[in-house]
Amino acid sequence: MTADRPQAAELRTRTAALMPQAKKDLTQLVSFKSVADPRQFPPEECERTAQWVADAFASVGLSKVGLHETPDGSKAVIASRPAPPGAPTVLLYCHYDVQPPLDDAAWRTPVWELTEKNGRWYGRGSADCKGNIVMHLTALRAIGPDVPLGITLVCEGSEEQGTGGLERFVEANPDMLRADAIVVGDCGNFAAGVPTLTETLRGNVNVVVTVETLAGPMHSGMFGGAAPDALAALIQLLATLRDEHGNTTVDGLSNDQRWSGVQYPAEQFRTDAGVLGGVDLLGEGTVADMLWARPALTVLGIDAPPVVGSAAAVQPSARARLNLRIPPGTTPKAALYALTEHLRANVPWQAKLTIETEATGAPFRSGRGGPARTAMEAALAAAYGKAATTQGQGGSIPLCNVFADTYPDAEIMLLGVEEPKCLIHAPNESVDPNEIEKMALAEALFLTAYAER
């Protein structure tokens, strides 16, 4: 089926009629306090959510449904329906666990109660990622029980904890989730009403750097001036990682790449990021270049004496935790080597330097031009009435790299109901119900068109 055939209008009508059910589904999902951290919330909350997801997808015709324990102890819902002869199989991904509420007092609506306000639906997980669960459900409901291709749904329960349970499960059970196309429903549009495929994810390198100069703290009055101050050495070292314009300057890493997809207007970014008036944005590229195409070094934390309680002493040691985000085209191994060599070459005063590698993650780039991507672009354009664009994402989704390595012939596409106003991971998370409706319609159009590839 293509977007200009009569079936497209019928799918649009069905999807619109399903929105009351979508709201009911999301109301139930948001009520589950499915934070996958037993130190904060009872594990039963995640178990109840997983069972609800399993039952919901069984009700839309996925006949083989089960809860599978992953190596980190969480439960992944896997539901499937085999492909008719000659038809492809699509894997639909989402996750049912959510971030904790953070500051309850900062919420303007009840955290665990879906609340409509100013045309948006508020509640923890309403967008990330329970809104995407509802997107998948609504798309399958709109198509009906006779899905013209194979469908596998995987909904994991520990994505927000980053414990890698599903990644290891996929590696150990590759045939269970094998598909021709993979729709990762854990992203979203550049802005509400702008159909967007997330094409790249930045990887990361985290290191902890320790600088040592003295056997112990020394009185700044008696020794300051000649005694090497470890904290000052660390500050000087960290200053070499950015230039006067704010560009990341790690020797050996290119920092002049360009982003060719959607552009991020500077004033919009200033508002979205809460940049204070009069403060400059960083870098000599566009906002999109700096966010999605170039490396970015962030100092995550520094161990140093706090202001309150500090003494008049030259510090013998100081350390910092660094996060280097890397774009596709740069491997974690190369980035780690470049960062390590840069730090060693720039530590001042022959200070003793220790570098501890904390974590690395590979960047990701989805493919272009395949039959699934072509069908999805057409479906998004039909659902929104405008051509789809592309964006990058500063964060990483390690599962995408596992999918790419395990299923090298599968087309992987990242999309969803999220957009900047959703405030995912923050208080007052919300979703625009129009995004659920249009993305569900796009997915339904894609599934029916891709079946005829």
Side-chain angles (χ1 to χ4, degrees):
M1 181 178 102
T2 57
D4 58 353
R5 294 182 186 176
Q7 294 96 323
E10 184 178 351
L11 281 176
R12 189 181 300 274
T13 299
R14 288 183 182 179
T15 304
L18 285 166
M19 286 306 293
Q21 180 62 51
K23 185 177 185 181
K24 182 179 178 181
D25 292 338
L26 193 55
T27 297
Q28 182 62 68
L29 280 167
V30 167
S31 73
F32 296 126
K33 302 174 183 178
S34 53
V35 177
D37 185 348
R39 298 169 300 178
Q40 301 183 72
F41 291 90
E44 292 79 16
E45 290 288 329
C46 283
E47 293 169 7
R48 291 171 60 213
T49 315
Q51 189 60 58
W52 188 95
V53 171
D55 293 342
F57 281 93
S59 73
V60 296
L62 301 189
S63 54
K64 189 176 180 181
V65 182
L67 272 59
H68 299 262
E69 185 167 338
T70 61
D72 64 356
S74 65
K75 294 288 199 322
V77 180
I78 300 177
S80 62
R81 174 178 174 141
T89 295
V90 174
L91 174 65
L92 305 177
Y93 166 86
C94 50
H95 64 87
Y96 62 80
D97 67 306
V98 298
Q99 285 283 332
L102 300 180
D103 183 3
D104 284 4
W107 283 78
R108 296 187 294 270
T109 62
V111 176
W112 307 108
E113 181 181 324
L114 193 70
T115 304
E116 186 168 357
K117 183 178 180 181
N118 298 324
R120 297 183 69 90
W121 295 347
Y122 286 79
R124 175 54 91 218
S126 57
D128 182 22
C129 181
K130 292 173 178 178
N132 289 311
I133 297 174
V134 173
M135 173 188 74
H136 291 323
L137 265 177
T138 304
L140 293 177
R141 284 198 177 105
I143 295 171
D146 297 324
V147 181
L149 75 175
I151 296 287
T152 301
L153 178 284
V154 59
C155 187
E156 71 170 309
S158 59
E159 191 275 341
E160 300 291 8
Q161 297 300 312
T163 48
L166 187 59
E167 288 96 301
R168 285 174 281 163
F169 182 88
V170 170
E171 292 168 340
N173 303 273
D175 290 336
M176 190 170 290
L177 301 179
R178 194 173 301 280
D180 299 285
I182 300 173
V183 178
V184 177
D186 192 18
C187 292
N189 292 333
F190 174 71
V194 180
T196 310
L197 286 159
T198 296
E199 197 164 81
T200 65
L201 303 170
R202 287 197 293 197
N204 67 285
V205 171
N206 277 21
V207 299
V208 175
V209 177
T210 303
V211 175
E212 298 174 288
T213 56
L214 301 168
M218 303 302 294
H219 192 286
S220 61
M222 297 177 64
F223 296 95
D229 183 335
L231 182 54
L234 177 64
I235 292 169
Q236 186 168 322
L237 176 60
L238 297 180
T240 69
L241 296 169
R242 285 189 183 270
D243 65 18
E244 68 273 21
H245 302 293
N247 299 297
T248 291
T249 51
V250 176
D251 296 337
L253 291 186
S254 175
N255 66 355
D256 60 357
Q257 302 95 317
R258 296 289 183 180
W259 180 256
S260 60
V262 68
Q263 293 299 306
Y264 203 149
E267 287 307 310
Q268 181 182 340
F269 177 78
R270 294 182 70 90
T271 298
D272 293 344
V275 180
L276 300 180
V279 178
D280 293 337
L281 299 184
L282 300 186
E284 295 178 292
T286 67
V287 171
D289 293 339
M290 302 303 294
L291 291 181
W292 304 324
R294 300 181 180 181
L297 192 291
T298 302
V299 180
L300 300 181
I302 294 179
D303 284 343
V307 171
V308 177
S310 57
V314 180
Q315 295 304 311
S317 66
R319 67 176 186 162
R321 184 173 180 235
L322 310 182
N323 169 241
L324 177 63
R325 297 283 178 171
I326 53 175
T330 302
T331 67
K333 182 178 179 181
L336 176 61
Y337 177 81
L339 179 59
T340 299
E341 291 302 300
H342 177 102
L343 293 168
R344 287 173 176 162
N346 287 278
V347 63
W349 315 325
Q350 303 296 316
K352 306 301 180 185
L353 179 68
T354 303
I355 303 171
E356 174 191 353
T357 303
E358 189 177 58
T360 62
F364 173 81
R365 181 188 294 278
S366 64
R368 293 183 177 183
R373 173 69 177 258
T374 300
M376 183 62 82
E377 288 175 347
L380 287 166
Y384 280 86
K386 63 183 73 172
T389 187
T390 60
Q391 67 177 356
Q393 182 170 299
S396 57
I397 304 177
L399 181 63
C400 288
N401 296 95
V402 174
F403 279 154
D405 292 341
T406 308
Y407 314 117
D409 296 327
E411 294 185 66
I412 303 173
M413 298 172 289
L414 288 74
L415 46 75
V417 303
E418 302 161 24
E419 38 83 17
K421 291 183 179 180
C422 291
L423 298 180
I424 65 172
H425 294 202
N428 301 301
E429 180 180 353
S430 68
V431 68
D432 184 338
N434 293 315
E435 292 297 285
I436 294 179
E437 180 177 347
K438 289 178 180 177
M439 289 304 302
L441 173 60
E443 185 163 280
L445 291 168
F446 160 72
L447 291 173
T448 51
Y450 185 56
E452 300 178 1
R453 65 173 190 170

